[in-house]
Amino acid sequence: MTSNKRVALDARKGNLVLIGGAEDRRDAKWVLRSLVEEHKVSRIAIIPTATLYPGECSDDYYYAFRDLGVSDIEIFDIRESRDARKSEYLGKLERVQMVFFTGGDQVRLTRILLRSPLIERIKERFHYDGLHIAGTSAGAAAAANPMTFDGDEHGLIKGTVKFTEGFGFLENITIDTHFVARGRLARLTQFLCHGYTHRGIGIGEDTSITITPDQLMRVTGNGITTLVSTEQVQYSNFNQITNGEKISIEGVKLAFLQHGSVFDLKTWTVVE
């Protein structure tokens, strides 16, 4: 593939919209409204695979998006891996402008969908056909690779935080959600100590980040988005201690961004 053709394909990449969870779905719907209006969404697919209550969850988002003027709403009720192979869903995927992953359990979500024909086609359309991807809570956490889970209460006790492969819509940056409300700074920091990646983003509730193809990130909503980097750590005992022992670390770089902030993920700096 020539470089010119690669540039043309990259120009068609969609946006990635990640929500920290607990977004307003009944009143002003600020975060969801901005998602719909910014991307001019009229055709959306909702994937409630992460939750154990897909019917109720789907209805919740169906009515929220309908109230915001989305005219064509598809529900991909995928509960088992075999469902992600159904031609029904693969066919409908070709028509939508955005795919929306609900909250629930990110491990369940990736276990069922990872490397499925549906996810592979979503990734193709995201990279080369302008498909926008959005997710909230577990749906946002699973978008990135690597993906963390567990360890909320003992984030700085080695071995309490687990991680696995995520969908990889965003590579080498780990996403955490409900970040301030559930006190997850220690959880994300412990994961970054492993060194699989040195950058993480913690998204507050009722808050979203929109990542464009040029890797600019814009914050929308009522909460705080936290940027965490261990690239300049001067001291860490992580590699000297065993599981169950306490982690000490110095030199973690933090940024706290509010509504309207723009951040360059390539240079890891605030733009405005």
Side-chain angles (χ1 to χ4, degrees), residues 36 41-42 64-71:
V36 169
V41 178
S42 60
F65 283 122
R66 188 195 65 178
D67 289 347
L68 292 170
V70 181
S71 57

Side-chain angles (χ1 to χ4, degrees), residues 70-181:
V70 181
S71 57
D72 190 342
I73 305 171
E74 298 286 355
I75 308 297
F76 288 11
D77 189 6
I78 298 169
R79 308 189 189 194
E80 302 292 341
S81 297
R82 63 177 177 270
D83 297 333
R85 299 179 176 274
K86 290 182 177 180
S87 58
E88 168 192 357
Y89 297 132
L90 291 167
K92 289 179 178 179
L93 177 62
E94 300 305 311
R95 299 180 54 253
V96 302
Q97 300 163 302
M98 176 177 280
V99 171
F100 185 91
F101 294 91
T102 73
D105 180 349
Q106 61 260 43
V107 176
R108 170 183 167 82
L109 178 61
T110 55
R111 175 179 57 80
I112 292 173
L113 290 182
L114 194 63
R115 286 184 290 277
S116 68
L118 185 70
I119 283 295
E120 293 306 307
R121 182 54 184 152
I122 288 173
K123 291 176 78 170
E124 286 176 1
R125 287 206 58 209
F126 172 60
H127 285 290
Y128 306 128
D129 192 29
L131 176 71
H132 302 302
I133 295 175
T136 183
S137 189
N145 185 46
M147 176 190 83
T148 61
F149 60 99
D150 289 348
D152 275 26
E153 296 178 4
H154 305 287
L156 287 178
I157 303 295
K158 184 172 179 178
T160 55
V161 176
K162 306 294 190 291
F163 56 94
T164 188
E165 181 181 359
F167 290 141
F169 305 136
L170 179 67
E171 290 281 0
N172 300 316
I173 297 175
T174 292
I175 298 294
D176 212 338
T177 58
H178 303 278
F179 200 67
V180 175

Side-chain angles (χ1 to χ4, degrees), residues 103-263:
D105 180 349
Q106 61 260 43
V107 176
R108 170 183 167 82
L109 178 61
T110 55
R111 175 179 57 80
I112 292 173
L113 290 182
L114 194 63
R115 286 184 290 277
S116 68
L118 185 70
I119 283 295
E120 293 306 307
R121 182 54 184 152
I122 288 173
K123 291 176 78 170
E124 286 176 1
R125 287 206 58 209
F126 172 60
H127 285 290
Y128 306 128
D129 192 29
L131 176 71
H132 302 302
I133 295 175
T136 183
S137 189
N145 185 46
M147 176 190 83
T148 61
F149 60 99
D150 289 348
D152 275 26
E153 296 178 4
H154 305 287
L156 287 178
I157 303 295
K158 184 172 179 178
T160 55
V161 176
K162 306 294 190 291
F163 56 94
T164 188
E165 181 181 359
F167 290 141
F169 305 136
L170 179 67
E171 290 281 0
N172 300 316
I173 297 175
T174 292
I175 298 294
D176 212 338
T177 58
H178 303 278
F179 200 67
V180 175
R182 300 187 185 178
R184 286 177 167 172
L185 177 58
R187 170 166 103 162
L188 183 55
T189 300
Q190 178 181 161
F191 170 72
L192 297 180
C193 286
H194 284 278
Y196 295 105
T197 178
H198 294 286
R199 293 176 172 182
I201 303 173
I203 313 171
E205 294 183 344
D206 199 27
T207 305
S208 70
I209 60 171
T210 299
I211 300 173
T212 59
D214 57 0
Q215 293 294 284
L216 290 179
M217 181 194 84
R218 185 179 63 261
V219 179
T220 300
N222 290 305
I224 298 170
T225 293
T226 306
L227 286 297
V228 186
S229 170
T230 54
E231 292 173 300
Q232 299 176 17
V233 162
Q234 287 123 25
Y235 171 80
S236 170
N237 67 350
F238 185 81
N239 292 323
Q240 284 73 53
I241 62 175
T242 60
N243 284 349
E245 294 187 285
K246 296 179 180 179
I247 300 167
S248 294
I249 186 168
E250 178 195 3
V252 177
K253 183 179 179 180
L254 299 174
F256 302 100
L257 304 183
Q258 308 278 2
H259 172 74
S261 298
V262 179
F263 192 85

